[in-house]
């Protein structure tokens, strides 16, 4: 009597599906993840929203909890990374400006001390009131020169109201007042031009570091959009919706993970190559500041000119004095700071290009060996048959719709302007921007067909898994007995025999 009922239950499609649709394992796993309430897990398979490729055990409430979790975690992780970059640029910017200002001020003091010492040696004792007045006037002119040099370094480029050549010429003219006029201004012009070139280079470094603070500050405030959140949920949590998969082992495929991360970071990666270009040009300018446009050399020549105007008996020999060697302990210190700045700028090359790989390595830390042949591709445990997308907003990305950010677009435009100024200052020829041509249709390809094995042969087909297709749906006409159905059959048969 019971035997026909048993076989009816086993072959009944509703019975088999109702058991396989059970979400008990999903509920148990979800309760240990501290994401939401376990009561949000449905008791049978149902269509999802984000995870809607097939029916699963994820409700709308669960997907909302997933979205909140990934948005919070991703924001915290990316912001920590961006904040580190921002704080580094901020510290370098402040330190560079302070170092240059201190160096100029220190040399002003050296020049004043030299004037006092030199004046006491060439003036007969007792020192007359006229001699003291002459020294005081000379010191005042020296302070005026260095004050204007500092002002030139700090002021806005478009509104530079200090002319270095005129400033130095006026200083020489006033210092030689009452003596013959200067016949040759060759050395004065040379000193002024060298100092101006060095100050312009230092100013441009300062302005670029200041812009770097603004750029990386904007990146630090950037937030991911909703399409990225959905893609992250699909990658990190949608595999939980399948009760037949063990969630702990459903790690995302590496290429799939990289495409998701590149899609999320597209607005930042859009300017990444520009940041690398900017960093290299700034390093080149720093090299000029230590060599062909040496600030130490320009200031040293200025000190020598100030020294020469005081010791010259006439205006004719001001350009013929041998170079006076000043003790400048801050010279080595400034060189060290410039070299340190150049080394740290080198770290900004490809600073954002590596971020997707770092984030995916973090996810893949606990991946099992060989997972690339059987990994989560966003829809199933299979292989991921897509290329890795290029960086930026314009290359196609198969995981999400990539959107730009208005704030970062404005910063990119300003970054291009700063790069153009650096090219002009360094004399380096700009390299052409490569054109990216790719279609979304070319990003992915169909899985290769499974090789057929002749009937009756054993071996190869026993170890081959079709990872490239979704699991086939249950066939209502099928009479195959699952392992669970067989156990239930034996249990019922035992009960029948005992009766």
């Amino acid at each position: 009597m019971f035997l026909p009922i048993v076989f009816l239950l086993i072959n009944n499609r509703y019975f088999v599906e109702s058991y396989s649709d059970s979400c008990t394992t999903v509920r148990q796993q979800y309760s240990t993840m501290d994401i939401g309430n376990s009561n949000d897990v449905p008791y049978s398979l149902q269509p999802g929203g984000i995870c809607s490729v097939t029916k699963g055990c994820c409700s709308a409430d669960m997907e909302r909890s997933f979205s909140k979790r990934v948005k919070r975690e991703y924001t915290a992780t990316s912001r920590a990374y961006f904040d580190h970059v921002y704080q580094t640029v901020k510290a370098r910017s402040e330190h560079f400006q302070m170092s240059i200002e201190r160096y100029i001020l220190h040399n002003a003091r050296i020049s004043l001390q030299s004037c006092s010492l030199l004046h006491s040696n060439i003036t007969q004792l007792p020192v007359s009131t006229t001699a003291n007045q002459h020294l005081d006037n000379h010191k005042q002119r020296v302070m005026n020169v260095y004050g204007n040099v500092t002002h030139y370094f700090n002021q806005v480029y478009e509104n530079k109201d200090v002319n270095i050549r005129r400033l130095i010429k006026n200083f020489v003219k006033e210092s030689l007042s009452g003596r013959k006029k200067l016949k040759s201004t060759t050395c004065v012009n040379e000193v002024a031009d060298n100092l101006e070139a060095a100050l312009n280079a230092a100013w441009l470094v300062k302005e670029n570091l200041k812009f770097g603070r603004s750029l990386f500050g904007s990146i630090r405030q950037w937030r991911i959009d909703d399409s990225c959140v959905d893609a992250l949920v699909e990658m990190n949590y949608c595999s939980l919706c399948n009760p037949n998969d063990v969630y702990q082992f459903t790690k995302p495929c590496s290429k799939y993970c990289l495409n998701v991360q590149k899609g999320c970071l597209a607005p930042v990666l859009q300017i990444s190559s520009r940041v690398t270009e900017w960093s290299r040009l700034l390093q080149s300018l720093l090299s000029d500041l230590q060599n062909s446009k040496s600030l130490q050399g320009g200031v040293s020549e200025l000190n020598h000119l100030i020294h020469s105007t005081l010791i010259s008996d006439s205006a004719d020999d001001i350009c013929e004095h041998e170079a006076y060697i000043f003790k400048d302990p801050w010279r080595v210190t400034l060189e060290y700071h410039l070299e340190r700045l150049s080394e740290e700028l080198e770290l900004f090359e490809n600073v954002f290009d590596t971020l997707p790989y770092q984030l995916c390595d973090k996810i893949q830390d606990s991946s099992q060996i060989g997972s690339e042949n059987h990994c989560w591709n966003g829809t199933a445990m299979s292989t991921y048959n897509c290329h890795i997308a290029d960086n930026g907003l314009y290359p196609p990305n198969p995981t999400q719709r990539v959107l730009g950010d208005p704030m970062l677009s404005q910063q990119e435009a300003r970054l291009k302007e700063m790069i153009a100024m650096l090219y002009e200052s360094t004399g380096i020829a700009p390299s052409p921007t490569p054109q990216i041509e790719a279609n979304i249709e070319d990003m992915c390809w169909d899985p290769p067909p499974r090789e057929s094995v002749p009937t009756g042969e054993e071996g190869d087909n026993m170890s081959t898994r079709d990872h490239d297709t979704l699991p086939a749906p249950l066939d209502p006409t099928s009479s195959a007995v699952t392992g669970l159905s067989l156990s239930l059959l034996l249990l019922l048969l035992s009960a029948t025999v005992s009766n």
Side-chain angles (χ1 to χ4, degrees), residues 8-23:
L8 179 64
L9 290 173
I10 293 174
N11 289 280
N12 185 278
R13 180 172 181 268
Y14 175 78
F15 173 79
V16 176
E17 284 193 350
S18 62
Y19 182 82
S20 63
D21 287 0
S22 173
C23 297

Side-chain angles (χ1 to χ4, degrees), residues 208-219:
N208 272 273
L209 292 175
K210 183 179 178 181
F211 164 73
R213 293 173 58 178
S214 174
L215 172 65
F216 295 118
S218 298
I219 294 175

